[in-house]
Amino acid sequence: MTSPNDNLNTLEQQDPDVYAALRGEEDRQKTGIELIPSENYTFPEVLATLGSVFTNKYSEGYPGRRYYGGQEFTDKIEDLARDRAKTVFRCEHANVQPLSGSAMNQAVYLGLLEPGDTILAMDLSHGGHLTHGAPVSHMGKLFNFVRYVTDPVDGSIDYDQVRKDALEHKPKLVLCGYTSYPRDIEYEKFKEIADEVGALTMTDASHFGGLVAGGAMRNPFDFGFDVVTTTTHKSLRGPRGGMVLCTKDLASKIDKSVFPGLQGGPHMNAIAAIAVTLKRAQTEEFKDYAKQVLKNSQTLAKGLMDRQANLVTGGTDNHMMVVDTMKSYNLDGRVAEETLDKVHITTNKQIIPDDPNPPLRPSGIRIGTPAATARGMKEGDMEQLASWIDRCLRSPEDEAVHEEIRGEVVKFCAEFPVPGI
Ligand SMILES: *Cc1c(COP(=O)(O)O)cnc(C)c1O
């Protein structure tokens, strides 16, 4: 039996251009420190399953009810993935077919609501995601999104304002979850507010799904939530994909919404890889990983703040932090991101609450620890990282400093093998 890596040898002969880019990306991943909070290194078995024969198979429908023959093994794989998802997230139903995170959220809105219905969700510049009703998104045009914001003083969600917004706009769905918010969510408050106006509750746990799975962060289902969505490729460390988890009552609406409502054939290679990921998520090793992600995040945040960096909300409860680079270093987020790229430290420019600057030149950067932790980095390494980041951003023009740090980073990276390469 050949492994996907053996097949790369034939790729080298067949298509040297793609082969060269692939090797280049491998090298980039090995010799740099990945701090984009939504990225991770997946397990070698996930890479292998993604490149497996499940890629060849059409499986429209659900296990036991498919529109094509030959489903003996795909049914088994999808049942495994669904059952494991239910165990890991302690929920009644799981749909593992969404092709990615955006599709999974679209499936929820379109399956549970009517066009024009009101959804209460977090404002983009305060930490929400594009799929939470950004005006440029199709969902933002189809549904009436009302967006709540964070408290201007402490930066956390202003629950009194959320309640006022809910009472005023009577949403059908109250959505919490974020893409750039460094604090945990008070699910009991969201649930109370939603109950008061008779709305459904949804958490988009795309960023922290792996931390919930590993028991390091709280599970919205423990607070009576109706729906939780999560990507599978961020803190969960699986293939690129999305899942909708929900109560029994909503199961059939969600399933019909994913297929045939929104999608055609599921990617069975990704579903097989999700099954593999969710078995891993139940191990002690994964639980330790999830805890370490948070410890690393707190250590890195402290390291930066000890060096006078300004963090939105003044710290972190989760796997990420948002650094106000304008206030800290008088650099916009784009320059900060590009400067760190020079020393092989990968972050992303980030808008901050009520950012006066535009999205491509925002006032901050976002930093997260899931990928670095997957390579085995611990608290001491975060201290080292804080020192490099700070020094680099304090010398944005100094090529000599960049070269020195880059050399140190590359040497440091060699001690932390990338899983699967
Ligand atoms: C990443 C993310 C998504 C979308 O995921 P894609 O796979 O990029 O489509 C949705 N919601 C939140 C909160 C996210 O962070």
Side-chain angles (χ1 to χ4, degrees), residues 167-389:
L167 291 174
E168 182 184 341
H169 298 283
K170 299 269 183 298
K172 292 263 172 63
L173 177 71
V174 171
L175 167 58
C176 60
Y178 49 78
T179 196
S180 63
Y181 178 68
R183 296 296 173 186
D184 199 4
I185 295 169
E186 299 190 36
Y187 297 108
E188 52 278 69
K189 288 195 181 158
F190 272 111
K191 172 74 176 147
E192 204 180 295
I193 292 165
D195 283 350
E196 211 175 333
V197 298
L200 290 166
T201 41
M202 167 178 173
T203 301
D204 179 352
S206 283
H207 258 263
F208 52 92
L211 305 177
V212 173
M217 288 185 77
R218 300 185 303 162
N219 182 339
F221 286 118
D222 294 339
F223 300 87
F225 267 56
D226 299 299
V227 182
V228 176
T229 57
T230 182
T231 61
T232 49
H233 49 279
K234 296 181 184 176
S235 54
L236 196 54
R237 295 183 64 182
R240 307 198 79 81
M243 298 195 287
V244 181
L245 311 164
C246 64
T247 57
K248 243 185 354 253
D249 298 353
L250 303 177
S252 127
K253 279 185 178 164
I254 291 294
D255 283 354
K256 282 188 193 134
S257 182
V258 173
F259 174 86
L262 189 65
Q263 298 184 170
H267 295 180
M268 288 312 302
N269 57 329
I271 291 175
I274 289 173
V276 169
T277 304
L278 291 169
K279 182 161 185 198
R280 287 295 276 256
Q282 294 172 56
T283 60
E284 284 308 313
E285 194 189 352
F286 191 84
K287 288 177 185 142
D288 291 343
Y289 164 74
K291 279 194 213 105
Q292 190 66 46
V293 167
L294 294 189
K295 282 190 219 160
N296 283 352
S297 180
Q298 264 136 36
T299 310
L300 182 53
K302 181 168 182 305
L304 291 170
M305 289 188 298
D306 285 349
R307 294 172 174 81
Q308 311 308 317
N310 185 295
L311 267 55
V312 173
T313 79
T316 177
D317 298 328
N318 59 23
H319 61 295
M320 76 166 99
M321 61 215 75
V322 180
V323 184
D324 184 331
T325 52
M326 285 305 290
K327 274 196 194 143
S328 310
Y329 307 103
N330 200 28
L331 299 175
D332 69 51
R334 179 170 129 192
V335 173
E337 176 195 297
E338 286 171 0
T339 308
L340 289 168
D341 269 343
K342 288 188 193 156
V343 303
H344 290 206
I345 293 177
T346 315
T347 61
N348 71 275
K349 56 182 150 315
Q350 178 65 48
I351 44 174
I352 62 170
D354 303 315
D355 204 325
N357 295 315
L360 288 174
R361 271 200 179 273
S363 302
I365 55 171
R366 196 177 58 148
I367 297 181
T369 52
T373 308
R375 282 175 84 167
M377 294 178 197
K378 299 253 160 61
E379 289 94 323
D381 307 310
M382 295 300 115
E383 205 14 71
Q384 172 65 72
L385 257 176
S387 145
W388 279 325
I389 292 170

Side-chain angles (χ1 to χ4, degrees), residues 39-56:
E39 293 198 10
N40 216 328
Y41 300 104
T42 193
F43 302 104
E45 297 78 11
V46 166
L47 291 177
T49 324
L50 279 173
S52 72
V53 291
F54 281 116
T55 304
N56 299 338

